[in-house]
Amino acid sequence: MVDGRTVRAEEALFIAHFALSGAQRAVLDRLGFEAVEPYAMALPVPPSAWRGAAAAVPRVLRSLWSAPLWAAEVGVYAVKDFLIWTAFLERFQLREFITYDAEYSFRQNLRNALLKREGARTWFYAATVNVESLYMARRRGVPAPQPLYGYLEYDLFVGWAPDLWPAPRTYFHLHRPRIGRYVFVGCLWAEQILALREAGETPLLRRLREAGYDPGRQKLVAAFDCSFLGALNSGRDGVRYAGGLRRFLDEHDDVFLVWKEKQPRAWTEARHPERAAAYRSLERHPRCLFTGPEVSAAEVLALCGLAVSFPFT
C-alpha cells in the first residue's frame, strides 16, 4: 500500500498491538515508518474520558457478582480500551485505519466506534482463503461456528475473491458481520512476490547457491509445513509429509528442495520429536535447505518453480 506515490511513508503510522522487538523496529525505521504502541504509551487522558470511564465502573463492578466471569472481563477491557484509544486519538488524527487478519476480537468494536466518531474509516484485510473448506466440511448439520467472525465491524473488508466472502450462503456470512462494503483485490501477496522476482538476486538465493543449488541445472521446489497439531493434523502426518518429499528428491536428481518451517526447530522438538527427527534426516540430504521460520514466504515463492504446502499452512 505504501507505494511512495498514492501513500507515502511519512503519511503512514504503524500501530502495534504488542511490544515491538529491536529487530522489528529496525525494519520499520529502514522503511521510514513511525511506529507506536498504544497499549504501552503513557498518553494523557482527557478529563471527559475519565468521566465516561468513571460512569461505567459501577456497572462493571456489579457485573462481577451478577454476570458470568467472561461478561465482567469484557467490561474491564472496555473501560481500559476506552481510555487508551481516546487518549491515542487525542494525540494522533487518523483518516484511514487499516488492520490485518489477526483482528478477530470483541475489543476492536469499541476502538472502531471511537475511530468512526473521529471521522476515520476502518479497513479489514483478510489474508486467507481457507476458512470455507476448513469449517464447511461437515457431514451432518450446520457448519461449526467461529464466534470471532461475528464481532467484525468495519467500513471496508478487503478480500481475495468475491465467491469466497460476500455471498449470503458462504460460511463467513453466516455470522452476519457488520461490513459496510467489500473490496476484492486478488491474492494480497502477489505484488510482493513479483517485486522479489524482478529484483533478481535475493539473500535466500545466495544461501541456496552456497548450499549447492544450481539454477541453470536444477528445478527449485519449495515445501511449507504446518504448526497446527491436534484437530487439523497429527504429528505423524508431518512425518509422512517429510518422507514423501524425501522420496521425491531421491527420484528426481534435477530437483533441489527448499523447506520453509513455520516455527523454530525447538518448537517442533518440544511438541513432536518424531517430526523433528524426520526434519533432521531430510536436512542432511545434499539437495535440501531448511530456511528456518525467519525467511519470508514471499521470497521462497518468488524463487521456486513449484510449491507444496501442508494443510493448514
Side-chain angles (χ1 to χ4, degrees):
M1 289 183 298
V2 184
D3 58 4
R5 298 184 300 274
T6 307
V7 180
R8 298 189 303 274
E10 60 267 25
E11 297 178 307
L13 183 68
F14 187 92
I15 301 173
H17 287 189
F18 51 85
L20 293 168
S21 67
Q24 289 168 330
R25 283 201 170 273
V27 171
L28 292 168
D29 289 343
R30 188 168 67 250
L31 294 172
F33 288 116
E34 181 182 358
V36 294
E37 301 171 25
Y39 294 98
M41 301 172 74
L43 294 172
V45 178
S48 59
W50 283 116
R51 289 193 294 271
V57 167
R59 291 195 293 272
V60 173
L61 292 176
R62 284 196 298 272
S63 72
L64 294 173
W65 283 271
S66 60
L69 183 59
W70 64 263
E73 185 179 1
V74 169
V76 171
Y77 274 117
V79 172
K80 175 185 175 183
D81 288 353
F82 174 74
L83 292 172
I84 288 172
W85 284 100
T86 299
F88 182 83
L89 293 171
E90 282 279 315
R91 170 65 177 80
F92 299 97
Q93 286 72 52
L94 307 179
R95 295 195 309 271
E96 313 284 347
F97 183 91
I98 304 168
T99 190
Y100 183 59
D101 208 18
E103 282 274 303
Y104 296 107
S105 164
F106 68 86
R107 297 181 71 179
Q108 47 89 19
N109 296 88
L110 175 62
R111 181 204 63 206
N112 288 358
L114 293 172
L115 285 161
K116 187 174 184 177
R117 187 183 70 179
E118 297 300 320
R121 287 194 304 178
T122 54
W123 300 64
F124 183 89
Y125 270 68
T128 183
V129 295
N130 52 42
V131 292
E132 298 292 316
S133 58
L134 178 63
Y135 290 106
M136 291 291 274
R138 297 281 296 256
R139 293 180 180 176
R140 302 183 186 86
V142 297
Q146 170 49 279
L148 296 179
Y149 288 174
Y151 290 108
L152 288 175
E153 185 172 0
Y154 286 86
D155 294 316
L156 295 107
F157 181 105
V158 181
W160 288 29
D163 59 334
L164 291 167
W165 292 105
R169 292 184 179 84
T170 62
Y171 176 80
F172 179 74
H173 241 270
L174 293 175
H175 298 82
R176 301 182 182 276
R178 291 170 293 281
I179 303 296
R181 183 161 62 93
Y182 290 87
V183 180
F184 299 100
V185 296
C187 175
L188 300 181
W189 306 114
E191 187 173 349
Q192 186 180 6
I193 293 167
L194 288 172
L196 285 163
R197 281 187 175 172
E198 291 168 1
E201 190 76 13
T202 71
L204 177 57
L205 182 55
R206 288 191 289 272
R207 281 182 61 187
L208 285 163
R209 283 183 172 138
E210 291 168 2
Y213 169 57
D214 182 354
R217 189 178 60 84
Q218 294 172 317
K219 300 178 180 68
L220 187 64
V221 174
F224 295 81
D225 66 3
C226 174
S227 60
F228 289 84
L229 294 173
L232 292 170
N233 68 84
S234 70
R236 291 187 299 276
D237 294 327
V239 173
R240 287 192 288 269
Y241 178 61
L245 286 164
R246 174 62 185 255
R247 288 193 300 275
F248 180 79
L249 267 181
D250 290 339
E251 293 168 5
H252 298 83
D253 58 9
D254 62 341
V255 166
F256 195 99
L257 179 68
V258 56
W259 188 296
K260 166 76 165 69
E261 289 176 89
K262 189 83 169 180
Q263 298 288 351
R265 186 65 58 82
W267 187 97
T268 308
E269 293 274 7
R271 287 160 180 80
H272 205 281
E274 188 180 355
R275 182 194 285 199
Y279 285 9
R280 288 194 300 274
S281 174
L282 180 57
E283 201 168 23
R284 290 192 289 270
H285 195 286
R287 287 182 283 111
C288 180
L289 174 70
F290 276 69
T291 68
E294 66 279 356
V295 169
S296 164
E299 186 179 4
V300 177
L301 291 169
L303 296 174
C304 74
L306 171 69
V308 184
S309 64
F310 185 98
F312 162 78
T313 189

